Amino acid sequence: SIPCNNRYTPIDITGDYLITGTSNISAINRKTGKMAWSTTHSSWLEGSTVDADAVYLSNDHQITALDLCTGKTKFTAQLPATTEEKYRYVGPLITRQGPYLIASEQCHIACYDAQSGTRFWSWRATASVDIAHQTRFSFETTAQDIFVNTDAAVICLDLATGTPNWRYGPFPGDHTTSFADLDHRYTSRPVTDNTHAYLYSSDATLHQVSLDTGIGTIIASLHNIATKSHNSWFTSANYE
């Protein structure tokens, strides 16, 4: 029987299994309805992703990988630590891209080997430059890059190395403006096609950003807003 001392929320579906749970994690056989395995996680689940081999869970500043067939722990890996108390109330996000496991926690993005949990690299946003508000970073991955929305900017990181390729923001290269007064805060997860990333900002405008160059433009406004900045192309700044 499925343990009843937990709120059961579907996490993902892969193969024959429905993975469900928030602290007690279970695999339910979709054909029979029977539980294949169940395990108690250390604390409340914050993020998860599933592939053909494993269930990856993130919370409490760590990643846990469970074998998909047995539920046994394959590895645990620590997420980058931070001392900024104002970011501690948000939990990590996690996704799998090829051999890489990418996690976002507080003001960090980190990349791990999906088989062993070995950390390849980590990148930390600069609070005074990249972060406009207390936020958990959302991101989108492609085969080569990670596109990170830090609320104040979209930053393209090389997937294999974590090296920043470009930065797209409302004030490229100019960080003197108080972020509390910014007209633009990027409020959605970037989504991508073969050539561009798309995301909304807080003034209800839709941005289209080149994946190669980081140069973008506003292509739609829910309120038909027309300002000086809206009628011009934004340019990317070299990230240093």
Side-chain angles (χ1 to χ4, degrees):
S1 62
I2 300 174
C4 61
N5 61 342
N6 182 58
R7 184 181 302 166
Y8 272 78
T9 303
I11 295 174
D12 211 335
I13 293 175
T14 181
D16 293 334
Y17 298 106
L18 170 66
I19 310 301
T20 184
T22 49
S23 57
N24 289 330
I25 310 300
S26 297
I28 311 301
N29 189 299
R30 295 194 291 143
K31 296 180 180 178
T32 66
K34 294 182 179 181
M35 183 174 63
W37 53 262
S38 181
T39 184
T40 300
H41 203 43
S42 60
S43 61
W44 203 258
L45 179 66
E46 295 284 358
S48 64
T49 190
V50 178
D51 63 18
D53 302 314
V55 181
Y56 301 96
L57 310 171
S58 58
N59 69 351
D60 242 4
H61 305 297
Q62 73 174 20
I63 296 170
T64 302
L66 306 178
D67 185 275
L68 180 62
C69 296
T70 66
K72 293 182 179 180
T73 299
K74 298 180 66 175
F75 65 79
T76 59
Q78 293 299 309
L79 290 163
T82 182
T83 58
E84 285 86 356
E85 290 293 332
K86 64 182 179 179
Y87 300 113
R88 290 186 181 272
Y89 75 100
V90 293
L93 298 174
I94 188 170
T95 193
R96 172 81 184 262
Q97 179 69 44
Y100 303 108
L101 193 65
I102 303 100
S104 164
E105 183 193 36
Q106 302 168 11
C107 53
H108 294 266
I109 295 285
C111 179
Y112 301 81
D113 185 303
Q115 296 299 320
S116 67
T118 300
R119 188 191 300 171
F120 291 128
W121 55 263
S122 65
W123 174 83
R124 182 185 183 280
T126 303
S128 61
V129 174
D130 301 317
I131 305 170
H133 192 261
Q134 296 178 10
T135 185
R136 170 173 57 185
F137 296 164
S138 61
F139 60 91
E140 174 81 344
T141 61
T142 65
Q144 292 83 31
D145 299 299
I146 306 172
F147 301 93
V148 186
N149 175 11
T150 68
D151 201 34
V154 177
I155 297 169
C156 173
L157 305 177
D158 183 271
L159 178 59
T161 66
T163 303
N165 294 324
W166 50 256
R167 178 187 192 276
Y168 171 79
F171 298 100
D174 176 10
H175 308 304
T176 59
T177 303
S178 168
F179 278 113
D181 299 326
L182 285 182
D183 291 332
H184 299 84
R185 290 178 178 176
Y186 300 112
T187 56
S188 68
R189 179 180 65 86
V191 295
T192 62
D193 58 20
N194 293 330
T195 57
H196 292 89
Y198 301 86
L199 73 162
Y200 272 103
S201 56
S202 56
D203 57 358
T205 53
L206 176 63
H207 299 250
Q208 180 189 66
V209 187
S210 168
L211 300 185
D212 292 332
T213 65
I215 296 175
T217 187
I218 291 173
I219 60 172
S221 173
L222 295 182
H223 301 301
N224 294 319
I225 302 173
T227 67
K228 180 179 179 180
S229 62
H230 294 162
N231 291 330
S232 62
W233 283 73
F234 291 118
T235 58
S236 64
N238 292 329
Y239 197 93
E240 300 179 349

